């Protein structure tokens, strides 16, 4: 196991550095490292790591979402208002609609199979988007109009919405019926995650005010609480709808509002943790990718992915109608809301494991979506933010 961890970190970091030198997103190098070292290529990652790969990826997500919560400016988000709510579900709905319209024609599958595929593909990737938006916030790009905050908040809720819809469609494919409760779960899980996260963050702020401990100990406490809420969702989400990752981010937000100085110091600590967590996350995402499935999809699947991305971007544009954002800023939001990785890696294989006829094809399209949109989306964000967003009231580019 130790040898595999060393390979993941050293080769992943080197490949990320090499991609940066070539003006490509570092995550591309990390994903390619995972594909190369993974079980479908050189098979150099120990099976004990692959068995807990999903848990390790979730830890990395917890780290970056906590970091986002500790840095997120709620006042800027409030100014954005309505679009922030719409970004949570409208772009995903448009992308699923695009899949239902295009996939039956391009891949010759049923409408229900296309809906399942759409629910897998429609989720945006917080793992790609959150670090990029944090970088923008740190450098002051788009902050005046709350653009990074808008995209951050939307990405966190978008995943919850899509995963619930995915469970509804796969249930239908297995013969289950749609009930009103299936859709009630979506707002209930989001609200419960926000409320519990806010309460925990306030309690932590009061505790840190009364009990003086090292910042490292505070980081351990924050991580432990995050692990507990994620475990709670795993065990009891059928009985109590609960969005644990939203809760994790809201803990950081509440702590930041009550103890700003402490939150600033903890944010620096989590930033350092992300250096290793990022490599683990994207290398292990790459390790889930079976290139042999890509061959079964073909050119039609590539056309399909770009086609549904157009639908998604139209959905983002509609969310931003009536706002004060310029056309350049709207274009940036449309670009920034395209990367996919973590959710597709997590649920792309579920239809296959359920024995659904569309399972192989869904997994193939999910793999392609990761390989195309994660590096391309990250690259486009890096290439365009200085040209399309404002900094200090001046438009760059």
């Amino acid at each position: 196991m130790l040898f595999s961890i060393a390979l993941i970190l050293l080769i992943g970091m080197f490949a990320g550095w090499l991609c940066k030198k070539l003006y490509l997103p570092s995550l591309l190098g990390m994903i390619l490292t995972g594909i190369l070292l993974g079980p479908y290529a050189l098979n150099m990652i120990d099976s004990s790591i692959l068995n807990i790969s999903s848990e390790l990826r979730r830890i990395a997500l917890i780290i970056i979402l906590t970091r986002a919560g500790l840095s997120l400016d709620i006042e800027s988000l409030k100014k954005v208002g309505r679009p922030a709510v719409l970004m949570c579900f409208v772009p995903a709905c448009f992308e699923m609609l695009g899949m239902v319209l295009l996939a039956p024609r391009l891949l010759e599958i049923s409408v229900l199979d296309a809906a399942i595929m759409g629910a897998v593909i429609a989720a945006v990737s917080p793992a790609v988007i959150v670090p990029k938006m944090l970088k923008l916030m740190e450098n002051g790009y788009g902050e005046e109009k709350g653009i990074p905050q808008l995209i951050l908040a939307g990405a966190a809720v978008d995943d919850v919405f899509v995963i619930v819809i995915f469970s509804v469609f796969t249930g239908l494919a297995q013969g289950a019926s749609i009930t009103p409760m299936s859709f009630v779960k979506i707002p209930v899980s989001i609200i419960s995650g926000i409320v519990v996260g806010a309460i925990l963050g306030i309690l932590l702020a009061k505790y840190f005010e009364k009990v003086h401990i090292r910042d490292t100990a505070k980081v351990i406490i924050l991580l432990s609480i995050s692990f507990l809420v994620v475990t709670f969702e795993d065990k009891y989400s059928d009985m109590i709808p609960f969005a644990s990752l939203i809760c994790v981010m809201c803990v950081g937000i509440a702590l930041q509002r009550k103890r700003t100085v402490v939150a600033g110091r903890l944010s620096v600590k989590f930033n350092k943790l992300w250096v290793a967590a990022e490599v683990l996350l994207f290398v292990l995402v790459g390790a889930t990718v079976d290139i042999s499935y890509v061959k079964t999809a073909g050119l039609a699947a590539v056309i399909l992915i770009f086609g549904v991305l157009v639908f998604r971007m139209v959905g983002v544009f509609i969310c931003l109608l009536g706002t004060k954002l310029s056309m350049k800023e709207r274009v940036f939001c449309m670009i920034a809301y395209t990367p996919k990785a973590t959710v597709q890696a997590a649920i792309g294989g579920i239809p296959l494991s359920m024995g659904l006829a569309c399972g192989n094809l869904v997994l193939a399209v999910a793999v392609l979506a990761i390989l195309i949109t994660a590096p391309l989306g990250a690259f486009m964000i890096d290439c365009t933010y200085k040209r399309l967003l404002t900094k200090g009231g001046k438009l760059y580019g």
Side-chain angles (χ1 to χ4, degrees):
M1 178 188 281
L2 294 178
F3 177 71
S4 296
I5 292 173
L7 283 180
I8 289 170
L9 293 175
L10 290 175
I11 299 177
M13 288 173 68
F14 174 75
W17 172 82
L18 191 61
C19 281
K20 271 190 173 179
K21 288 291 182 183
L22 297 172
Y23 300 99
L24 296 169
S26 59
L27 66 85
L28 174 61
M30 297 170 196
I31 290 174
L32 292 176
T33 298
I35 294 172
L36 182 67
L37 298 179
Y40 307 108
L42 298 179
N43 196 24
M44 295 182 70
I45 300 178
D46 195 278
S47 60
S48 57
I49 294 177
L50 294 174
N51 291 338
I52 59 169
S53 171
S54 62
E55 299 301 319
L56 292 173
R57 296 200 306 268
R58 197 144 33 153
I59 289 170
L61 265 182
I62 286 169
I63 288 170
I64 195 58
L65 287 173
T66 304
R67 166 82 172 82
L70 292 168
S71 305
L72 192 60
D73 183 356
I74 290 296
E75 296 307 317
S76 295
L77 188 59
K78 283 179 182 176
K79 291 176 185 175
V80 178
R82 173 188 56 85
V85 177
L86 295 177
M87 289 280 279
C88 297
F89 65 92
V90 171
C93 286
F94 266 75
E95 191 163 5
M96 285 186 273
L97 173 64
M99 188 67 77
V100 168
L101 292 174
L102 299 178
R105 292 169 174 79
L106 288 170
L107 301 179
E108 298 180 352
I109 58 177
S110 70
V111 170
L112 180 56
D113 288 347
I116 292 169
M117 186 181 291
V120 171
I121 302 304
V124 77
S125 176
V128 179
I129 288 176
V130 173
K132 297 295 180 186
M133 295 307 107
L134 289 175
K135 179 183 174 183
L136 263 59
M137 289 161 62
E138 288 168 0
N139 294 326
Y141 285 94
E143 277 249 89
E144 186 181 347
K145 295 183 181 177
I147 292 171
Q149 291 87 342
L150 166 70
I151 295 169
L152 269 177
V157 180
D158 172 277
D159 286 1
V160 177
F161 172 74
V162 169
I163 289 170
V164 172
I165 297 297
F166 171 76
S167 66
V168 171
F169 289 151
T170 50
L172 277 176
Q174 291 184 310
S177 57
I178 296 178
T179 65
M181 279 304 298
S182 303
F183 296 99
V184 169
K185 279 183 178 180
I186 298 171
V188 171
S189 62
I190 293 168
I191 292 168
S192 63
I194 292 171
V195 170
V196 173
I199 292 170
L200 289 172
I202 291 167
L203 291 175
L204 276 176
K206 290 184 177 179
Y207 177 75
F208 291 157
E209 186 179 2
K210 294 182 182 296
V211 180
H212 297 285
I213 54 176
R214 296 179 62 179
D215 287 341
T216 304
K218 291 171 184 169
V219 168
I220 293 170
I221 291 170
L222 262 175
L223 284 175
S224 300
I225 289 172
S226 299
F227 297 162
L228 288 173
V229 298
V230 169
T231 304
F232 178 86
E233 181 187 17
D234 290 342
K235 288 191 174 182
Y236 303 110
S237 60
D238 289 338
M239 295 183 291
I240 307 170
F242 180 67
S244 60
L245 293 179
I246 291 176
C247 177
V248 166
M249 194 161 75
C250 288
V251 171
I253 292 169
L255 182 57
Q256 180 223 137
R257 288 178 69 81
K258 294 293 180 181
R259 300 279 291 164
T260 307
V261 176
V262 171
R265 296 202 306 268
L266 293 181
S267 179
V268 173
K269 294 278 187 183
F270 275 93
N271 213 22
K272 292 176 181 177
L273 281 176
W274 176 243
V275 173
E278 180 185 30
V279 179
L280 270 177
L281 173 62
F282 289 112
V283 171
L284 291 176
V285 165
T288 66
V289 171
D290 186 348
I291 294 296
S292 64
Y293 282 113
V294 175
K295 298 174 186 175
T296 66
L299 179 62
V302 176
I303 295 169
L304 177 65
I305 289 167
F306 282 106
V308 296
L309 280 181
V310 172
F311 275 81
R312 182 177 192 86
M313 294 170 85
V314 170
V316 173
F317 184 80
I318 288 172
C319 292
L320 301 176
L321 290 175
T323 65
K324 294 181 180 179
L325 270 61
S326 68
M327 184 54 69
K328 286 187 175 183
E329 290 165 336
R330 294 180 194 191
V331 169
F332 176 81
C333 292
M334 291 159 67
I335 292 168
Y337 225 50
T338 57
K340 302 161 190 305
T342 40
V343 175
Q344 287 71 31
I347 67 175
I350 291 178
L352 181 61
S353 66
M354 287 179 166
L356 300 181
C358 64
N360 272 325
L361 194 54
V362 169
L363 182 56
V365 175
V367 168
L368 266 177
I370 293 170
L371 293 176
I372 292 170
T373 66
L376 181 62
F379 178 71
M380 291 300 293
I381 290 170
D382 286 341
C383 285
T384 61
Y385 77 92
K386 288 185 179 179
R387 293 190 178 97
L388 301 179
L389 300 182
T390 59
K391 180 180 181 182
K394 181 182 176 183
L395 186 63
Y396 281 68

